[in-house]
Amino acid sequence: MCSHNSKNFMKWFETIFLAVLSSGVTATIMEHFFNNRRDEQNRKLEFLEKQLTNLYGPLYWLISQSEKLFELQGKVMKAYDEEYCDSSKKYSQEKQTQDALKQETSITIEVANDYVVKVEENNKQMMVVLNNNYSYIDTDDIELFQLFYEHKVRNETEYGQERRLKLPTSIYRKIGNVSFLKQEVIDRIKNKFLDKKEKLERGIV
């Protein structure tokens, strides 16, 4: 009788022991799983912060400047058109007046072009940022940044410092127009920066 009770006790003990052991192993596995997930999340957040600090943040600041420069250039040219291209305005044909007009229009266009030169300077800084931090570029941005580089190089090569087209017009048209800073590049950088900034602030990747 005692032997039978002893066997039952041993079975009960083994069952409890295995259950406790199993729950302990499960808890260890779950703890390891959640620790790994937390570590992975922290690594992603750290990489996201580096992306913002080293790449998308500086690019955002530079394209924001360039947007303002384009806006100022547009205002100057709009004022130019209103002042000098409006057919309703009549200027004296006297030499003194015409000489003054020629000087005014030349200076106005020069100022408008100076704003564009500053955009080109920003583009050079953007390339420095991209070259120094290429490992932080999102894969879906690579093609667009390559397009940005293409247009930057074409501007420098096909126009030169004097801003005069070197290529024959027919050849230039076959290759395609050049942009100082394409709107799609501006939009992509702005969207990426704001999206990444929001994710970092929320701590969610």
Side-chain angles (χ1 to χ4, degrees), residues 12-29:
W12 174 82
F13 180 79
E14 288 178 3
T15 302
I16 297 299
F17 177 77
L18 290 173
V20 171
L21 181 63
S22 177
S23 64
V25 171
T26 301
T28 301
I29 292 173

Side-chain angles (χ1 to χ4, degrees), residues 43-58 133 135-136 196 200:
R43 285 194 296 270
K44 287 181 178 180
L45 286 172
E46 183 180 354
F47 181 77
L48 182 62
E49 184 176 13
K50 288 181 179 179
Q51 277 191 310
L52 282 169
T53 302
N54 298 304
L55 182 65
Y56 289 93
N133 301 281
S135 61
Y136 295 120
K196 291 176 184 297
L200 185 62

Side-chain angles (χ1 to χ4, degrees), residues 27-81:
T28 301
I29 292 173
M30 292 300 294
E31 182 181 4
H32 183 69
F33 172 76
F34 285 115
N35 284 341
N36 283 344
R37 286 197 62 181
R38 185 179 64 250
D39 291 343
E40 182 182 358
Q41 178 76 358
N42 288 338
R43 285 194 296 270
K44 287 181 178 180
L45 286 172
E46 183 180 354
F47 181 77
L48 182 62
E49 184 176 13
K50 288 181 179 179
Q51 277 191 310
L52 282 169
T53 302
N54 298 304
L55 182 65
Y56 289 93
L59 290 179
Y60 178 83
W61 175 236
L62 289 167
I63 60 109
S64 297
Q65 292 178 27
S66 294
E67 275 193 309
K68 180 58 66 175
L69 291 167
F70 280 134
E71 182 182 328
L72 291 170
Q73 192 256 2
K75 288 180 178 179
V76 172
M77 292 310 300
K78 180 181 179 182
Y80 175 92
D81 290 340

Side-chain angles (χ1 to χ4, degrees), residues 156-199:
E156 295 172 349
T157 307
E158 296 174 23
Y159 280 90
Q161 294 181 347
E162 296 182 356
R163 299 306 308 157
R164 292 181 180 178
L165 182 63
K166 298 177 182 178
L167 289 173
T169 305
S170 58
I171 300 299
Y172 174 79
R173 287 175 179 171
K174 289 181 183 295
I175 298 173
N177 293 332
V178 177
S179 172
F180 289 106
L181 184 58
K182 295 180 74 65
Q183 187 62 45
E184 59 184 309
V185 174
I186 294 174
D187 292 341
R188 178 73 64 84
I189 291 173
K190 289 174 68 175
N191 290 337
K192 281 296 184 75
F193 171 78
L194 295 174
D195 179 63
K196 291 176 184 297
K197 186 172 183 293
E198 181 184 3
K199 286 180 178 178

Side-chain angles (χ1 to χ4, degrees), residues 31-142:
E31 182 181 4
H32 183 69
F33 172 76
F34 285 115
N35 284 341
N36 283 344
R37 286 197 62 181
R38 185 179 64 250
D39 291 343
E40 182 182 358
Q41 178 76 358
N42 288 338
R43 285 194 296 270
K44 287 181 178 180
L45 286 172
E46 183 180 354
F47 181 77
L48 182 62
E49 184 176 13
K50 288 181 179 179
Q51 277 191 310
L52 282 169
T53 302
N54 298 304
L55 182 65
Y56 289 93
L59 290 179
Y60 178 83
W61 175 236
L62 289 167
I63 60 109
S64 297
Q65 292 178 27
S66 294
E67 275 193 309
K68 180 58 66 175
L69 291 167
F70 280 134
E71 182 182 328
L72 291 170
Q73 192 256 2
K75 288 180 178 179
V76 172
M77 292 310 300
K78 180 181 179 182
Y80 175 92
D81 290 340
E82 292 173 351
E83 184 64 28
Y84 303 115
C85 301
D86 187 349
S87 58
S88 65
K89 289 192 173 185
K90 304 296 182 182
Y91 292 97
S92 171
Q93 296 302 309
E94 292 182 0
K95 185 178 184 305
Q96 184 177 358
T97 302
Q98 291 300 311
D99 287 345
L101 282 173
K102 184 177 181 180
Q103 184 179 15
E104 288 178 8
T105 55
S106 178
I107 291 174
T108 304
I109 292 175
E110 182 180 347
V111 169
N113 288 338
D114 284 344
Y115 285 124
V116 176
V117 169
K118 293 182 184 300
V119 171
E120 291 181 304
E121 292 172 356
N122 279 351
N123 287 349
K124 291 179 181 179
Q125 292 187 56
M126 286 175 65
M127 278 308 309
V128 171
V129 172
L130 288 167
N131 286 334
N132 290 340
N133 301 281
Y134 62 88
S135 61
Y136 295 120
I137 299 175
D138 286 342
T139 53
D140 60 324
D141 292 333
I142 293 175

